[in-house]
Amino acid sequence: MLFFRMPFTYIEDLAQHEGETITLKGWLYNKRSSKNIHFIIVRDGTGLCQCVVHQDEVDEASWDVAEEIAQEGALAVTGTVKKDERQVGGYELQATGVELISASEDYPITPKEHGVEFLMDRRHLWLRSRRQWAAMRLRNRIIMAIHEFYQSRGFIQMDAPVLTGNAVEGTTTLFDIDYFGEPAFLTQSGQLYAEAMAMAHGKVYTFGPTFRAEKSKTRRHLTEFWMIEPEMAFYDLEMNMDLAEDFIVDVVQTVLDECEEELEVLERDLEPLQRVQKPFPRISYSDAVELLRSDETAEMMDAREASLHEEEEALKQERKDNQKEYGQAKKWRKRQIDAREIEINQRLNEIEEELRNLPQWKESARTFEWGNDFGGSDETILTWHFDRPIIVHRYPAAVKAFYMKRDPEDDKLALGMDVLAPEGYGEIVGGGQRADDLGFLKDQIEKHDLPEEAFEWYLDLRRFGTVPHSGFGLGLERTVAWLGGLEHVRETIPFPRLLGRLSP
RNA sequence: UCCUCGGUAGCUCAAUGGUAGAGCAUGCGGCUGUUAACCGCAGGGUUGUAGGUUCGAGUCCUACCCGGGGAGCCA
């Protein structure tokens, strides 16, 4: 088996080998054929490359391999690297030899459209597809950007435990497990531990998996997701917001600078990302409530409704025109019309759904009462007023966790802050300044019906040199979805865990 | 748990209550550079399940199962 010993080249390095004869190892992504020529698109994990196989330029065995290999068959192709602007990646390989490494038959994911359930059942194979490849590389780059940001600012990365004996906030549903006969939970946040670690190191961040047993079926929820939680001693709410802002701007800039290809594959509109610059609008909860209830918001909603109706009419007209044309159309045109019809129908369904929702959204915004927490629609509407992420701060204490510090200027308010991403991606950051007074915390634990014994170690942090401190959590998958312009967080993690989905 | 939309060929989708179709995938044939290649032919169906209405049900009704999106909750 000669090919196991042959040195090989990665597709992403082809630019350095122009004119040379090299070997690629990978899988068949797609193939186009004529009588005496095969165009073989090879995928090797670093990119795609078209290999041109002429019958009279390769030996018979190579020709047979090119002729017979099916989608996702593994192969080695040797040939000369040639620059060709028309190709994906800009290079193609003039093949001199093709060798089969292993065959593949009836690969289920064809280069056409598939439904979500079908793809999710085959997530282990779906990861090979181009969009998923781009999404995972984007995730990787974002993770590295996050580490670079904190490391360059002197933060220490420390891990919070995944198994815990008590619920952090007492509000969310946790996964419970049996820990040698003791009840235990999978962590829903590393924050309390991060506070302890910040008192040891000053500035720390955790980066790990988080679990929520909530039965949320939306494009923004997973039951297992990754969260980055910086926690800083001697930081107040303002410093916390400054950090979150710097952090997000930095990550977005890195992605824009270094993920050009990934964003292109994902067909991400770059303009909204380029607008992510300091400063982010900072709006207090109370001002946000006023904005929600304002005439300005009502008018904006009306305008949106009108434009949706317009789009709906235009699409229906296009569908009608296409149907008229269909009878006399040539075959290729008929196909085009069929494909477009599916697109039109999907978009019409979306519009229909949004039009169904809008009146409720409008009503919810118009009649929003101070003291309630924002719903998903309220957050979305707020972000429509701005062209970049916004920070909402100083929420009613009643809707926030027990460990939030109160606003010294208004005891009804907690010094919490959320960062809301634009384009409907919602809350990507939640955090705030932590309560640092022992008596107040004890009081809160009691009022929230939490077991004080479980929090004794946490209260120790207030007994031995308590200081003002702050932190926040950033949802990795929501961030990847936002930056990649992805519909759903399930495409931002290799093997998503959702309600009713535990495999593959 | 609730609201809402859906389940038809391997996949994506069509089908005013009246003979279940198309594209892709697969197989065979054709084509000297293709870009989701193209052209021709072929095979492929218990319309999610169980009942009901009807001369007749993919289509209407009831219950259940599965999935999408949303509410609550949150990152």
Side-chain angles (χ1 to χ4, degrees), chain A residues 176-438:
Chain A
D176 48 353
I177 54 168
D178 178 86
Y179 192 73
F180 305 113
E182 299 281 313
F185 304 94
L186 295 178
T187 182
Q188 61 151 324
S189 164
Q191 185 209 308
L192 268 43
Y193 297 98
E195 288 184 47
M197 300 186 288
M199 299 309 139
H201 289 268
K203 291 181 289 187
V204 302
Y205 67 107
T206 68
F207 198 140
T210 308
F211 308 86
R212 307 266 166 98
E214 250 119 36
K215 298 195 172 177
S216 302
K217 276 183 80 159
T218 85
R219 65 188 74 194
R220 298 193 306 278
H221 287 88
L222 295 165
T223 54
E224 175 184 309
F225 63 98
W226 288 68
M227 191 152 64
I228 296 87
E229 296 179 280
E231 191 73 33
M232 299 76 63
F234 308 109
Y235 267 51
D236 63 12
L237 180 67
E238 297 304 311
M239 297 164 80
N240 200 26
M241 292 194 283
D242 291 344
L243 180 74
E245 192 178 80
D246 285 345
F247 173 41
I248 290 167
V249 168
D250 183 275
V251 171
V252 171
Q253 199 52 52
T254 301
V255 164
L256 282 172
D257 290 344
E258 296 183 27
C259 297
E260 205 178 327
E261 188 184 358
E262 288 83 356
L263 294 174
E264 196 188 321
V265 172
L266 295 171
E267 294 173 290
R268 180 59 160 113
D269 178 7
L270 299 182
E271 209 262 333
L273 295 183
Q274 283 155 351
R275 280 199 307 256
V276 179
Q277 300 292 341
K278 288 204 281 187
F280 296 170
R282 295 185 190 185
I283 173 170
S284 72
Y285 168 88
S286 298
D287 289 345
V289 171
E290 225 168 273
L291 179 58
L292 270 183
R293 300 174 55 119
S294 69
D295 293 339
E296 200 190 337
T297 294
E299 282 158 21
M300 189 181 68
M301 304 282 289
D302 288 341
R304 188 170 180 94
E305 202 171 342
S307 85
L308 282 173
H309 276 299
E310 249 171 61
E311 189 184 351
E312 188 180 26
E313 284 315 305
L315 286 171
K316 282 183 175 166
Q317 187 59 45
E318 187 186 346
R319 191 168 63 178
K320 212 191 264 175
D321 293 345
N322 282 347
Q323 277 161 1
K324 247 183 244 167
E325 188 190 339
Y326 199 83
Q328 292 105 46
K330 293 217 155 73
K331 190 157 183 173
W332 65 269
R333 177 63 185 146
K334 279 185 178 167
R335 272 183 209 175
Q336 224 174 35
I337 292 172
D338 287 342
R340 179 65 186 147
E341 169 119 11
I342 290 170
E343 264 175 41
I344 291 175
N345 287 346
Q346 274 168 357
R347 181 60 191 148
L348 282 175
N349 279 341
E350 278 171 30
I351 291 173
E352 202 180 297
E353 190 177 341
E354 191 168 340
L355 284 174
R356 248 200 327 268
N357 288 334
L358 269 177
Q360 293 159 33
W361 289 22
K362 219 159 91 179
E363 180 66 14
S364 155
R366 195 64 176 173
T367 62
F368 193 90
E369 282 182 41
W370 196 100
N372 292 335
D373 207 354
F374 296 128
S377 69
D378 304 315
E379 287 182 349
T380 303
I381 292 166
L382 280 176
T383 63
W384 284 348
H385 283 284
F386 303 95
D387 68 346
R388 63 192 73 190
I390 63 172
I391 306 181
V392 182
H393 57 86
R394 292 181 171 80
Y395 284 81
V399 302
K400 289 291 178 185
F402 75 92
Y403 51 72
M404 292 261 186
K405 189 178 176 70
R406 292 295 168 88
D407 186 349
E409 287 170 24
D410 184 347
D411 194 55
K412 290 194 304 293
L413 299 176
L415 293 178
M417 64 102 175
D418 288 345
V419 179
L420 307 180
E423 303 173 84
Y425 285 94
E427 190 180 337
I428 52 166
V429 159
Q433 187 169 346
R434 323 303 190 188
D436 46 34
D437 183 81
L438 179 63

Side-chain angles (χ1 to χ4, degrees), chain A residues 455-469:
Chain A
F455 290 96
E456 278 307 325
W457 70 264
Y458 184 65
L459 293 172
D460 268 357
L461 304 177
R462 277 73 184 172
R463 290 187 180 108
F464 304 105
T466 186
V467 300
H469 63 290

